[in-house]
Amino acid sequence: MKIGFIGLGNMGLPMAANLVKAGHSVTGYDLNAAAMTALTQAGGQVAASAGEAVKGANVVITMLPAGEHVRQVYLNQGGLIDVTKGQKPLLIDCSTIDVDSARAVEAEARKAGLAMLDAPVSGGTAGAQNGTLTFMVGGSAEAFEAGKPVLEAMGKNIFHAGDAGAGQAVKICNNMMLAINMVGVAEGFILAQKLGLDWQKLHAICATATSNSWALSNYCPAPGTVATAPSARDYAPGFMAQLMLKDVKLSQAAAEATGSPTPLAAQAMSFYQAVCDAGDGAKDFSVVFRWLAGQGR
Ligand code: NAD
């Protein structure tokens, strides 16, 4: 396949590199020149603009920060829908964005005769590097079948969640649960320290006990417990706290619109907001542990 890939950040770059490894021809574009250099080092090609990158592509993939970037890249004059409507590639947005933006962009794509999937991911940067991401996909069954082989080069579990926007709906529920869970793990490890416990021992025990979770076993926020976790590298991302804050805000807006009770997510959101206000928005979201530890006596 000839693939145009827009957004080569913490996630997009390793995902694009896996497409290259699978034998696809990948042309990328990012506002950040260093990210483009990294793609060429991984065997891809780069272009001078998003429009150039998707020229002649069978598949277009975007991995951008938020809904406004996705709307801008697809819908603006000279945007991806405009540029590709003649060549009819399959459009796949892997960013985590609000359901309304996902549905609005898909509707514009459909009007232009283009099939589009919302295909946000779970699994973090390690999952992106190892090609083991989980994809939660919204869109028609036909578009899903067309996109699945490409997604399989980047992920291990590819789920069709439902119609347009359903992938994003699953993703914001997933991240709302993760945001709360990370705070829970942080509280447990802070209390453990106050009780004189060793973090490594606590980690080893809880990873086989009922408190276990992905946040605890793979991504533990207490330094010295998981060698590959951001906590082992001064919370370098990973998944930035400002992106987690964006996602919990999305879940809270959806909860408000649907009358869903989500008091723990509201509390967790205030913590991630405090982390960002303290200047740690570009750190991994597990830095909430350090912020919370700083609130104690
Ligand atoms: P990132 O900030 O590292 O990467 C985004 C990239 O998009 C940046 O390199 C930026 O320069 C580029 N970009 C922004 N606007 C652009 C434009 N108009 N044209 C071209 N490039 C543009 O973020 P990330 O961690 O890679 O996350 C991307 C998306 O994936 C987000 O929606 C995030 O919520 C989601 N996500 C991230 C993780 C994770 O662990 N990092 C996990 C799952 C989902």
Side-chain angles (χ1 to χ4, degrees):
M1 292 275 189
K2 197 166 166 4
I3 300 172
F5 203 115
I6 315 302
L8 304 166
N10 288 321
M11 294 296 285
L13 180 64
M15 289 165 70
N18 278 331
L19 291 171
V20 173
K21 267 191 220 150
H24 297 296
S25 162
V26 180
T27 304
Y29 175 71
D30 195 290
L31 297 176
N32 174 2
M36 298 225 276
T37 306
L39 180 63
T40 54
Q41 282 160 357
Q45 291 139 60
V46 294
S49 68
E52 283 289 318
V54 303
K55 257 198 192 139
N58 317 103
V59 176
V60 170
I61 300 178
T62 44
M63 191 50 163
L64 297 162
E68 67 257 32
H69 308 93
V70 173
R71 282 178 184 262
Q72 185 205 357
V73 164
Y74 281 97
L75 302 180
N76 269 4
Q77 215 187 359
L80 297 184
I81 291 178
D82 215 17
V83 172
T84 59
K85 59 186 177 214
Q87 70 198 55
K88 302 229 180 303
L90 173 64
L91 307 177
I92 307 178
D93 178 41
C94 295
S95 329
T96 302
I97 65 171
D98 59 291
V99 175
D100 286 348
S101 291
R103 290 191 175 141
V105 176
E106 190 273 342
E108 287 304 313
R110 198 157 13 95
K111 265 194 232 160
L114 295 164
M116 179 159 195
L117 297 170
D118 51 290
V121 305
S122 179
T125 47
Q129 273 148 19
N130 300 332
T132 56
L133 291 170
T134 292
F135 282 87
M136 33 211 109
V137 186
S140 72
E142 202 185 2
F144 175 72
E145 286 309 321
K148 202 173 170 205
V150 175
L151 300 180
E152 278 167 346
M154 302 181 284
K156 202 166 68 174
N157 300 299
I158 323 292
F159 292 103
H160 189 204
D163 291 338
Q168 296 297 352
V170 172
K171 177 66 184 172
I172 60 170
C173 294
N174 179 78
N175 277 23
M176 183 182 82
M177 292 188 268
L178 173 61
I180 296 168
N181 187 208
M182 182 56 79
V183 173
V185 175
E187 289 188 4
F189 277 74
I190 292 165
L191 177 61
Q193 188 182 39
K194 298 277 188 192
L195 295 174
L197 294 176
D198 174 79
W199 279 340
Q200 284 177 344
K201 276 201 185 123
L202 179 75
H203 184 264
I205 295 167
C206 291
T208 64
T210 45
S211 60
N212 192 24
S213 64
W214 180 87
L216 189 147
S217 56
N218 290 343
Y219 219 80
C220 187
T225 52
V226 176
T228 51
S231 56
R233 46 177 202 263
D234 192 30
Y235 302 98
F239 181 46
M240 287 185 279
Q242 63 204 29
L243 290 179
M244 180 53 102
L245 177 61
K246 169 204 68 159
D247 290 356
V248 191
K249 282 183 176 169
L250 292 179
S251 73
Q252 292 315 91
E256 176 70 30
T258 54
S260 312
T262 56
L264 288 182
Q267 181 80 62
M269 183 171 75
S270 73
F271 292 176
Y272 293 106
Q273 182 70 62
V275 165
C276 292
D277 292 346
D280 277 342
K283 291 275 187 194
D284 187 81
F285 78 107
S286 56
V287 77
V288 71
F289 168 86
R290 195 167 70 185
W291 175 83
L292 201 54
Q295 307 303 304
R297 9 178 204 96

